[in-house]
Amino acid sequence: MALRCLVEGMGVRPTARLVGCHHQTILKLLVAAGTWSARFCDETLRELPCRRIELDEMWSYVYTKQKNVSRAKSPPYTAGDAWVWVAFCRDTKLVPSWRIGDRTAVTGIWFLKDLVSRLSHRVQLTSDGHRAYLEAVEEAFGDEVDFAQLVKVCSPEELSCTADIISGQPDLDAISTSGVERQNLTLRMSQRRFTRRTNGFSKKIINHAHAVALHYLYYNFCRVHQSLDITPAMAAGVTQHRYNIGWIVEQVARQRPKPNRPKTYRKISK
């Protein structure tokens, strides 16, 4: 029940009140589940048959917003903006790779090199007009990619959307970022830490990363996509089965060491 609450948009403390335990217990469960989720996705999402990949980055923050870091009381060195870079397969709805970091080309290179290691053949990439993608895609893919950017201009004077071909020969009809943008909305609705104008934001970057890993494991392997009627992992051929929360609980329980409890307990006099 606790894991189901966490992947369906509830915060740590509401989950603790609902299931009747301490909020630190929920955090420990989140850490254990997120650690295993990240390792399982890293080992399983390999040799993927994706053809059309959409890229985007989503804003979030840890401890406090970037503009308030200088005024915060004892902020950790990870305080401030934390961008989630996401790759989304247009055909299978799978999220093969993600990365949490800043919005510079350095993080983009790490993110796209990880994506390259998971693909089995040449793909078509579409991103927004963020200039960091130009360096990151060239560094990670070289010339072995069909890459285009969808540049959107929204201002009182101009409203336009232009497709710029950067490398290769991308299919013009397939240049789109609407799929990954809709997927970002799914993340915001399914994780309390990403809800705007609330106090449910992450206080630690490590818990932020665990929550994202748990979300994408549940999204890829457990949640049935409405347009596919199967999970994204099944559509990509990664697995033939739809998993559930009980499967995640079993796997986490196997990885966690048993508590070292004493055989006898000393009675405390009232």
Side-chain angles (χ1 to χ4, degrees), residues 17 83 101 131 133 159 167 177 192 204 211 229:
R17 291 192 294 268
W83 291 84
R131 296 186 62 85
Y133 283 114
L159 180 63
S167 63
T177 58
R192 186 64 171 173
K204 296 180 180 179
D229 203 27

Side-chain angles (χ1 to χ4, degrees), residues 198-214:
T198 69
N199 62 351
F201 55 88
S202 298
K203 282 53 171 194
K204 296 180 180 179
I205 187 66
I206 187 65
N207 292 339
H208 195 70
H210 289 317
V212 173
L214 177 61

Side-chain angles (χ1 to χ4, degrees), residues 28 253 256-263 265:
K28 290 179 180 179
R256 295 186 67 183
K258 293 183 179 180
N260 186 19
R261 294 172 178 165
K263 294 182 180 180
Y265 292 87

Side-chain angles (χ1 to χ4, degrees), residues 3 7 29-45 95-96 98 118 191 209-222 245 247-249 251-252 255:
L3 283 179
V7 298
L29 176 62
L30 173 65
V31 170
T35 301
W36 177 81
S37 299
R39 182 167 62 249
F40 179 82
C41 290
D42 181 60
E43 296 173 355
T44 307
L45 299 179
V95 177
W98 66 90
R118 303 181 185 280
Q191 285 294 322
H210 289 317
V212 173
L214 177 61
H215 165 78
Y216 282 127
L217 173 77
Y218 182 77
Y219 173 83
N220 285 332
F221 291 90
C222 303
I245 288 291
W247 166 72
I248 300 178
V249 172
Q251 300 302 321
V252 172
Q255 301 297 322

Side-chain angles (χ1 to χ4, degrees), residues 96-244:
S97 180
W98 66 90
R99 173 76 65 169
I100 300 176
D102 55 21
R103 208 169 178 233
T104 64
V106 175
T107 304
I109 292 173
W110 292 345
F111 163 63
L112 290 179
K113 282 187 176 181
D114 178 72
L115 176 62
V116 170
S117 67
R118 303 181 185 280
L119 301 175
S120 59
H121 46 68
R122 187 185 182 104
V123 298
Q124 174 171 330
L125 290 180
T126 305
S127 73
D128 56 15
H130 187 35
R131 296 186 62 85
Y133 283 114
L134 299 176
E135 180 182 350
V137 171
E138 182 179 2
E139 179 71 21
F141 286 88
D143 296 331
E144 299 299 321
V145 66
D146 300 316
F147 176 43
Q149 283 191 319
L150 197 63
V151 181
K152 302 174 184 178
V153 178
C154 299
S155 66
E157 297 79 16
E158 182 181 2
L159 180 63
S160 64
C161 182
T162 306
D164 295 340
I165 298 177
I166 308 301
S167 63
Q169 297 178 341
D171 182 6
L172 297 180
D173 295 332
I175 299 176
S176 173
T177 58
S178 59
V180 68
E181 290 170 355
R182 179 59 183 85
Q183 200 286 322
N184 288 345
L185 176 61
T186 300
L187 176 58
R188 286 208 181 275
M189 296 175 64
S190 302
Q191 285 294 322
R192 186 64 171 173
R193 298 167 186 270
F194 288 82
T195 306
R196 296 178 183 271
R197 298 180 182 276
T198 69
N199 62 351
F201 55 88
S202 298
K203 282 53 171 194
K204 296 180 180 179
I205 187 66
I206 187 65
N207 292 339
H208 195 70
H210 289 317
V212 173
L214 177 61
H215 165 78
Y216 282 127
L217 173 77
Y218 182 77
Y219 173 83
N220 285 332
F221 291 90
C222 303
R223 182 171 177 171
V224 174
H225 201 282
Q226 186 175 2
S227 65
L228 300 174
D229 203 27
I230 55 177
T231 64
M234 295 172 65
V238 177
T239 180
Q240 300 299 322
H241 307 283
R242 178 198 172 187
Y243 297 104
N244 54 28

Side-chain angles (χ1 to χ4, degrees), residues 7-23:
V7 298
E8 292 294 347
M10 290 188 64
V12 171
R13 292 180 183 272
T15 300
R17 291 192 294 268
L18 181 64
V19 301
C21 63
H22 198 271
H23 69 273

